[in-house]
Amino acid sequence: MATMKDIAKLAGVSTSTVSHVINKTRFVSDEIAERVNNAAKELHYTAPSALARSFKTNRTNTLGMIVTTSTNPFFGEVVKGVERSCYHAGYNLILCNTEGDAQRMKASIDTLMQKRVDGFILMCSTLEGEYSEILEKLQSVPVVVMDWGPISLPCDKIQDNSLRGGYLATKHLIQQGHREIGCITGPLVRHQAQMRYQGFKRAMKEAALNINPKWVVEGDFECEGGYQALAKFQDNGKLPSAIFAGNDMMAMGLINAANEQGISVPADLSVMGYDDIHLAKYMTPSLTTVHQPKYRLGKAAVDALIQRISDSGSEPQIVELEPAVIERGSVAEFLGER
């Protein structure tokens, strides 16, 4: 029976390279992988099954990711970064969608446990406040949490600096001459929404600008929330000259509502978003927003989880990626007249 050593000799590579190709434990170039696979085929090599390997090594080289469904493309872009990073690291990914339901999350965790995944990536911010029983199930496995609020589980956390992002977004509007600035927050029970709102308030205070409570509307992080927010602003009197929306989806809904009413963006109303989803630059006008490094968020989560799997005794870490303003067409300089 042929061995990996036989394949390595025929393919002209090291035994460890053969192992990585066959077990898919590390990315190997297509040219080398083809040589190894051709040599294995020529020698009639039969690899041990994944199940047999998992019992021998106590690893399945599989990660589980649990996400909350949303119309927001942000989540899909982060998942793409996770999936690609898993592939390059030689891991498989099983993705479960909770649809914002705590029972589905429990069922998904049970399923992934039965699949013997090596670790979990959690991206389920809509379940904040409901996680104590759920996370008890995860005490025995490595866990990385993405974009969740403060939790008691000692685990690694990957997040964007939402406080800094909200501050930068508002400061950009102020630098463009705006003094009457409104804010559409996300649901304020959500950690990221609260931090972005705190950043908005910090920038306004730093510039000695008053926050008009009539110009602060709580949204839902979806397009509909931004769309409905315009009517709430109008019900409270005149519009501000600029509005910071807590994510791009709400900014898109706001712009759509403004267009329907003949309010020109940015001539009559400047709009600032947050996330820099792929669609943001293709809107009319293109959306000025705060960029979140979504691929890097996904990669950082995979890197942290693999490190945690290898070294479970190290202290939990918080990886915080810095946001940046992306200037496009939805914010105009305010010259003092409207």
Side-chain angles (χ1 to χ4, degrees):
M1 179 182 290
T3 65
M4 287 190 185
K5 189 174 181 180
D6 298 326
I7 297 172
K9 184 176 180 180
L10 181 59
V13 298
S14 67
T15 304
S16 63
T17 297
V18 173
S19 176
H20 287 310
V21 172
I22 291 175
N23 295 319
K24 298 180 180 179
T25 50
R26 194 185 71 192
F27 176 76
V28 176
S29 71
D30 292 342
E31 187 268 331
I32 292 177
E34 184 177 4
R35 279 163 49 194
V36 170
N37 287 327
N38 287 341
K41 186 176 180 180
E42 183 177 335
L43 294 171
H44 304 290
Y45 175 79
T46 302
S49 70
L51 182 61
R53 287 197 306 271
S54 71
F55 281 117
K56 182 178 180 179
T57 64
N58 203 30
R59 298 275 181 86
T60 61
N61 273 56
T62 301
L63 305 181
M65 183 174 187
I66 301 179
V67 300
T68 299
T69 189
S70 172
T71 58
N72 191 346
F74 168 80
F75 291 95
E77 292 176 30
V78 173
V79 170
K80 181 179 179 181
V82 170
E83 191 279 331
R84 186 177 297 174
S85 298
C86 283
Y87 170 73
H88 285 297
Y91 278 78
N92 298 307
L93 179 69
I94 301 177
L95 181 66
C96 295
N97 171 22
T98 70
E99 295 192 359
D101 184 282
Q103 293 304 315
R104 282 197 61 170
M105 186 174 184
K106 293 175 186 176
S108 295
I109 290 173
D110 288 341
T111 298
L112 293 173
M113 288 287 201
Q114 291 167 12
K115 297 290 185 182
R116 301 181 70 245
V117 297
D118 296 331
F120 284 80
I121 297 174
L122 303 183
M123 197 176 184
C124 305
S125 53
T126 57
L127 291 173
E128 284 186 49
E130 303 179 34
Y131 53 73
S132 56
E133 180 186 347
I134 292 169
L135 295 187
E136 271 189 27
K137 294 173 173 283
L138 300 175
Q139 295 286 349
S140 61
V141 293
V143 176
V144 169
V145 170
M146 301 182 69
D147 271 348
W148 210 338
I151 61 173
S152 58
L153 184 71
C155 63
D156 299 309
K157 184 172 182 181
I158 314 296
Q159 61 187 22
D160 86 300
N161 190 338
S162 287
L163 178 66
R164 174 77 175 162
Y167 171 83
L168 291 176
T170 310
K171 187 175 181 180
H172 177 71
L173 295 174
I174 294 169
Q175 289 172 337
Q176 295 303 304
H178 294 277
R179 296 297 177 265
E180 297 179 337
I181 304 173
C183 181
I184 307 173
T185 74
L188 290 175
V189 296
R190 299 267 293 275
H191 180 69
Q192 281 67 39
Q194 186 65 242
M195 289 299 98
R196 290 170 197 177
Y197 181 43
Q198 293 300 322
F200 164 78
K201 292 196 291 185
R202 177 177 292 184
M204 294 290 281
K205 182 178 180 180
E206 183 182 277
L209 297 176
N210 291 326
I211 297 174
N212 186 339
K214 294 182 179 180
W215 290 343
V216 177
V217 174
E218 186 172 357
D220 60 0
F221 274 158
E222 302 291 344
C223 287
E224 185 64 23
Y227 184 89
Q228 297 292 341
L230 181 64
K232 295 177 182 177
F233 282 116
Q234 292 173 317
D235 288 344
N236 290 330
K238 73 168 187 174
L239 292 175
S241 67
I243 295 175
F244 164 46
N247 75 348
D248 289 348
M249 297 292 282
M250 294 191 298
M252 291 166 62
L254 174 64
I255 291 173
N256 183 252
N259 287 338
E260 287 183 359
Q261 298 192 34
I263 299 171
S264 175
V265 177
D268 301 325
L269 176 67
S270 287
V271 176
M272 183 89 189
Y274 197 110
D275 281 342
D276 192 25
I277 61 175
H278 183 68
L279 294 173
K281 64 181 176 181
Y282 299 110
M283 296 172 54
T284 303
S286 56
L287 186 62
T288 298
T289 186
V290 174
H291 175 73
Q292 283 207 72
K294 294 167 286 297
Y295 176 80
R296 285 175 53 212
L297 279 169
K299 184 178 187 305
V302 172
D303 290 346
L305 186 54
I306 292 174
Q307 176 62 32
R308 175 63 51 190
I309 291 168
S310 299
D311 182 12
S312 59
S314 60
E315 287 295 315
Q317 60 176 327
I318 295 178
V319 178
E320 196 164 59
L321 302 181
E322 290 300 312
V325 170
I326 303 296
E327 296 185 48
R328 296 196 182 103
S330 65
V331 171
E333 184 180 1
F334 184 68
L335 302 176
E337 297 181 2
R338 278 198 290 165

